[in-house]
Amino acid sequence: MSDLHQQNYQRFIDQVKADRVMWGLRFGDEWVVCDSTEFEDTEVMPVWSTEAQARAQCVDEWADYEPFEITLAEFLEIWVEDLSEDGVRIGPNWDEELDGIELDVLELVKDFA
């Protein structure tokens, strides 16, 4: 993991721990997921630590999507199991080019502890 990605990830962890929320993008019942650049046949759900960062991604093919708050409690109680079962990885605080780290959801949970 590059230093920039590590710093960005640490900001994500710190901000989500402080605010107790993270942000995904949703249109109706559909959440944004992307193909992994690291693993074949794997999807990644990008999430951001602030609404502003998530809103900045609502352009082009995601123009109809809106930032949607996911509380940390809801993420830990519901999302972790569902994402893990589906084999979906997490992309915390991806930048405008959708560049960033891809984590197994259980790795993320450990860093919230």
Side-chain angles (χ1 to χ4, degrees):
M1 176 181 331
S2 74
D3 286 345
L4 181 59
H5 288 158
Q6 181 60 43
Q7 291 169 5
N8 208 15
Y9 179 58
Q10 192 59 54
R11 272 195 302 278
F12 175 84
I13 294 296
D14 294 344
Q15 190 76 47
V16 171
K17 280 175 136 177
D19 295 344
R20 314 296 292 169
V21 298
M22 63 185 74
W23 298 83
L25 298 181
R26 191 170 93 168
F27 178 68
D29 290 335
E30 185 178 321
W31 291 87
V32 164
V33 291
C34 307
D35 291 333
S36 171
T37 60
E38 297 180 29
F39 303 96
E40 278 190 45
D41 301 321
T42 301
E43 292 182 318
V44 180
M45 180 180 176
V47 290
W48 294 271
S49 56
T50 68
E51 181 180 9
Q53 287 172 302
R55 186 167 304 283
Q57 304 297 328
C58 296
V59 295
D60 300 327
E61 72 268 20
W62 296 345
D64 292 333
Y65 286 76
E66 291 286 328
F68 195 85
E69 181 182 274
I70 304 166
T71 67
L72 182 56
E74 178 185 7
F75 180 79
L76 295 172
E77 292 169 14
I78 299 168
W79 286 79
V80 168
E81 183 176 348
D82 290 347
L83 292 170
S84 187
E85 285 177 3
D86 293 342
V88 176
R89 296 176 71 80
I90 290 290
N93 275 359
W94 279 3
D95 65 19
E96 295 79 21
E97 288 80 40
L98 301 179
D99 184 36
I101 62 172
E102 299 177 11
L103 294 172
D104 181 283
V105 69
L106 298 178
E107 292 177 55
L108 180 63
V109 170
K110 289 178 192 172
D111 289 335
F112 283 135

